[in-house]
Amino acid sequence: MAPVEPRTVAAIVPAAGSGERLGAGVPKAMAPLGGQPILAHAVRALVAEPRLGLLVLAAPDGLEEQMAGVAAAVAGGVPVVAVTGGATRVESVRAALEVVPESFEVVLVHDAARCLVPVEVVAAVVDAVLAGAPAVVPGQPVVDTIRELSEQGGSRTVDRSRLRAVQTPQGFPADILRRAHASGDPRATDDAGLVEALGLPVTLVTGHPRAFKVTTALDLVLAEALVAGQEA
Ligand code: CTP
Ligand code: MG
């Protein structure tokens, strides 16, 4: 029998956004996908990682209990806590981080909207943090040719072979993520950016096309097809 892995990983799931671009009429995490809320898919993807021992959701004000119920129903016994999210994603993550007990060594931050991430990506992020990286993000090559605008109104092509589109889960040693959020550099748009602002390196691991973020109605069409097993 394989040894039982200690559950040293806590996952924070920012799910407090309104989902304006999706326009589902409900907060995006509660929008249905294959008959279940997007949040339920995201939670199932995370708890497939056996080292996960706690899930903390940041929910929209007033939806904490409902979302905790949705998550707990598919969490396979992993404890679920819901807190009230903030006005921005960074604030939502900070609110969730406050209730993560000190005993958890590793903290993952995973967008509810990246609800179909394969467990291999989650495991690769945890492994890289446990190997000593202060910040780990999954990345995917950029498929579009990218042009950068100049101040003069022109533009130039950027070498896309050196670019990576960042996905989640992002992973951190818990103490480093706490320090990063305490410093709260306003230029950072995600958690890895906050760690980077401390002067620490960010490690990339290989992401996955299925870790895409459901942002618009078009993304939901793709997600529905994947859930229905109609993978191209
Ligand atoms: N999020 C959050 N708190 C916020 C804003 C966003 O927890 N104040 C979460 C979202 O719920 C989502 C993730 O951060 O899981 C990524 O954000 P995004 O895809 O932009 O979701 P929304 O902000 O809900 O969508 P939109 O920007 O279209 O309104
Ligand atoms: Mg948003």
Side-chain angles (χ1 to χ4, degrees):
M1 225 170 79
V4 178
E5 305 241 29
R7 292 179 176 263
T8 52
V9 181
I12 288 173
V13 181
S18 57
E20 213 144 292
R21 287 168 289 179
L22 184 62
V26 290
K28 184 160 64 180
M30 293 306 284
L33 165 59
Q36 280 190 323
I38 281 179
L39 176 65
H41 294 275
V43 169
R44 272 197 279 109
L46 285 168
V47 300
E49 161 55 59
R51 291 166 289 187
L52 197 81
L54 175 68
L55 232 142
V56 183
L57 305 174
D61 195 8
L63 285 184
E64 299 85 346
E65 266 185 49
Q66 193 187 341
M67 282 199 181
V70 165
V74 293
V78 172
V80 174
V81 176
V83 301
T84 312
T88 63
R89 184 183 180 282
V90 168
E91 284 173 35
S92 292
V93 173
R94 184 174 301 140
L97 189 57
E98 275 171 16
V99 306
V100 174
E102 300 269 333
S103 54
F104 289 94
E105 249 182 80
V106 176
V107 178
L108 301 180
V109 181
H110 182 60
D111 291 331
R114 296 185 188 273
C115 54
L116 300 180
V117 62
V119 69
E120 291 75 20
V121 176
V122 183
V125 172
V126 172
D127 288 346
V129 176
L130 290 174
V136 181
V137 303
Q140 283 282 275
V142 174
V143 293
D144 293 313
T145 294
I146 306 279
R147 297 190 73 79
E148 183 182 26
L149 304 178
S150 74
E151 307 234 322
Q152 294 74 36
S155 66
R156 65 173 187 93
T157 297
V158 178
D159 177 8
R160 77 173 171 209
S161 69
R162 294 164 58 84
L163 300 179
R164 291 295 178 270
V166 170
Q167 302 179 321
T168 73
Q170 300 189 352
F172 312 89
D175 55 332
I176 289 178
L177 187 60
R178 286 197 181 90
R179 254 208 289 150
H181 272 273
S183 75
D185 193 303
R187 290 167 302 178
T189 57
D190 67 358
D191 304 281
L194 284 169
V195 172
E196 189 173 23
L198 294 178
L200 295 168
V202 175
T203 299
L204 276 156
V205 297
T206 306
H208 196 285
R210 288 185 71 126
F212 73 100
K213 183 159 70 73
V214 174
T215 304
T216 65
L218 188 62
D219 300 322
L220 199 54
V221 172
L222 174 59
E224 291 280 6
L226 289 168
V227 167
Q230 295 163 3
E231 240 169 301

